[in-house]
Amino acid sequence: MSDLAAAQQALRKTFGFEAFRPGQGEIVSAILDGRDVLAVMPTGSGKSLCYQLPALLRDGLTVVVSPLIALMRNQVAQLRGYGVAAAALNSANDADENRMVLDQIARGELRLVYIAPERLVKAETLNLLKRAKVGLLAVDEAHCISQWGHDFRPEYAALGGVQTALGGAVQTVAFTATADAATRSDILAKLFSREPAVFVHGFDRPNLRLAMAAKAGGRKQILDFIQNHRGQSGIVYCSSRRKTEELAEFLRDNGIKALPYHAGMEPAARSQNQDVFLQEDGVVVVATVAFGMGIDKPDVRFVLHADMPANIESYYQEIGRAGRDGLPAATLTLYGMGDIRLRRLQIDDSDSSDEQKRVERQRLNALVSLCESPRCRRQTLLAYFAETTQPCGNCDFCCDGAEVIDGTIAAQKALSAIVRTGSRFGTEHLTKLLVGDATDAIRKFGHERLPTFGVGKEFGEQEWRGIFRQMHGAGIVALDITGYGGWSVTEAGRRVLKGADRVTLRKDTLKPATRKTGRAAANAAALADGGTDDTALFEALRKRRSELAKEQRVAAYVVFADKTLIDMVRLKPRTAAEMSAVHGVGEAKLRQYGEVFLEAIRQHASGSP
Ligand code: ADP
Ligand code: ZN
């Protein structure tokens, strides 16, 4: 049997999955061929499986480096659920537990061990692993090794030496969801001793509905959205700790199971809230962005940003925590001028280098452009990650439309202001020029004598700023990020100047406006997706799952993913053999839970509770 065929069989038998997701097959093959691998794949695309599967098929221990203890715990719980010998070494274990894991490693009883980076690089750990014959070193969240990544971790810097310390070039594979070109080359240089196979997979997450709205109507906007998603698990992100508590209370007063989560809480209360979120259905966590990093919950049905995220990469990572199971999930990001100002100040006041601040400003501007984008959100978002796509049909712009006006003349005025001033001035200067404000800076350069001076009086300064951002989003101007943030005209912009292309601008960005959010209940949609509307059975199975999860003190999805329950509703298996055909039911899970769920299905069919 070929390696890949064996992998496919294990996929079915152990994990109960029918087929590889896009990208997984080729990565697994490369690993089974002994190649080093760097894979950039979006959150929820199934990165973990890419190293877990080879770990099962090959000799030797697989060491997984992971920065987050919560994440490790979840992964180990999930693997054990699949009947795989896995354990974690970290500071959350007590000394006995860690000693037991060390013994298991020494006796060669484990297939995978998850280790925190600071523990891995210790001499005693390395000595033990050297004797234990490590076959594969898998580095999760590999962007943490890079200064350019948005969460650089110094402990990761020492990982480059680990291969050597383990006695030669141990096969190394690295995974991350966010790595632009700069981060990627950093990872390549720091982590690998030979050239890895690099896989970069699409950033698109078509199951996520993208929506953004200017803040208006305060908490009502938030409540409306959540009420449209009643009974679903979701995360609401706020920019301050206090706001998480106040908003959670407000939501509770309105009958929603909402809990706060932030770094300032008592650790016990915090982890209790997290457990409730993982184990129960329909809980909304109101959190600062620290929440979700280590949480591997695949059935989060919505992410709502009550405040604008820090930048476009954070935005994408945060909304990426919704819908990891591939089922429909909704997102809504609220933004206001206050948010934008706050984020600018945070960047200015940080102790990053000037170079880094410039990159940060560019990332923030990209997010603002997305918020004010006059076209499909996904097109704008993916363009930032250098991907092109058709209008998606699953964003607020595609579905609800946004009122646009022909902005060609306005854009031509702005473009000619850029050209006439030598393509080196930023938004502030050009805005003054357009509205005809002869400031000192304008006079210093003699710009009050230009024909463009004062040609844009039909808009105010704030509106012009919005126009520049939208032109940026549409790719007709480019921002010089190495200098002082001066605008220049792109090839597409030149076509606009010549009158060959037209530009549309969004009317509502010129004043704050409210917008409707989609009313689709994602669970109903998810069930429809599975070809059935048997909601009552689905609820009965969810209830069963909750009970089991509580009994065993694990997250609900460790028992079964939503997708598995939906598939059960669709197939209504009556025998163990039929049950094993359900998505996500491998051998171990069939043994452990098969009968319980068969019974629940039988009860439902006979009409008993
Ligand atoms: P990532 O690490 O890329 O964010 P995960 O590895 O956590 O994503 O996978 C997300 C979810 O997808 C998990 O619930 C996992 O069990 C599931 N999954 C992974 N691979 C497959 C597959 N081939 N078929 C079905 N489900 C899969
Ligand atoms: Zn769209």
Side-chain angles (χ1 to χ4, degrees), residues 487-503:
W487 292 109
S488 61
V489 179
T490 64
E491 201 42 55
R494 266 186 280 280
R495 284 197 299 276
V496 174
L497 257 182
K498 279 190 278 184
D501 277 350
R502 308 203 67 77
V503 175

Side-chain angles (χ1 to χ4, degrees), residues 61 76 143 187 193 219 289 351 445 472 477 508 554:
L61 175 68
V76 169
H143 58 276
I187 300 174
S193 53
R219 290 169 167 178
V289 294
D351 7 285
F445 293 99
H472 190 205
V477 293
D508 67 332
V554 294

Side-chain angles (χ1 to χ4, degrees), residues 376-378 391-395 398:
C376 169
R377 304 282 183 197
R378 208 170 306 266
C392 72
N394 193 23
C395 71
C398 286

Side-chain angles (χ1 to χ4, degrees), residues 531-548:
T532 171
D533 59 359
D534 203 338
T535 329
L537 176 56
F538 180 67
E539 287 308 324
L541 298 179
R542 279 222 299 186
K543 192 156 154 274
R544 210 66 209 90
R545 177 178 70 175
S546 255
E547 290 161 6
L548 288 168

Side-chain angles (χ1 to χ4, degrees), residues 17 19-21 24 42-49 296 298 324 583:
F17 299 151
F20 283 121
R21 289 217 181 130
Q24 286 179 324
T43 307
S45 58
K47 288 186 286 299
S48 336
L49 194 90
D296 200 6
R324 295 174 73 146
H583 169 96

Side-chain angles (χ1 to χ4, degrees), residues 104-231:
Q104 287 177 310
I105 295 175
R107 289 198 300 267
E109 289 172 1
L110 294 176
R111 304 301 318 134
L112 293 104
V113 62
Y114 285 72
I115 308 186
E118 60 276 14
R119 188 166 288 261
L120 175 63
V121 298
K122 279 191 189 157
E124 54 170 330
T125 318
L126 287 171
N127 281 336
L128 175 76
L129 290 175
K130 202 164 160 183
R131 274 175 278 136
K133 188 161 172 283
V134 174
L136 187 65
L137 178 67
V139 181
D140 209 354
E141 312 284 343
H143 58 276
C144 294
I145 205 170
S146 168
Q147 302 265 15
W148 295 115
H150 48 88
D151 37 25
F152 170 59
R153 283 162 189 262
E155 321 85 84
Y156 261 64
L159 287 179
V162 167
Q163 288 113 319
T164 341
L166 289 177
V170 172
Q171 187 185 358
T172 303
V173 296
F175 295 86
T176 173
T178 42
D180 51 22
T183 312
R184 227 146 56 210
S185 56
D186 233 12
I187 300 174
L188 288 178
K190 290 185 179 148
L191 198 58
F192 294 96
S193 53
R194 51 187 172 211
E195 198 175 330
V198 178
F199 299 91
V200 180
H201 280 288
F203 279 89
D204 194 12
R205 299 273 315 276
N207 62 318
L208 294 188
R209 182 187 166 87
L210 307 178
M212 314 187 109
K215 286 184 181 177
R219 290 169 167 178
K220 180 156 185 320
Q221 223 175 352
I222 296 171
L223 185 61
D224 284 351
F225 176 87
I226 296 177
Q227 275 171 340
N228 282 339
H229 295 276
R230 213 167 243 296

Side-chain angles (χ1 to χ4, degrees), residues 16-34:
F17 299 151
E18 216 42 67
F20 283 121
R21 289 217 181 130
Q24 286 179 324
E26 40 179 354
I27 293 172
V28 168
S29 302
I31 298 178
L32 291 174
D33 281 349

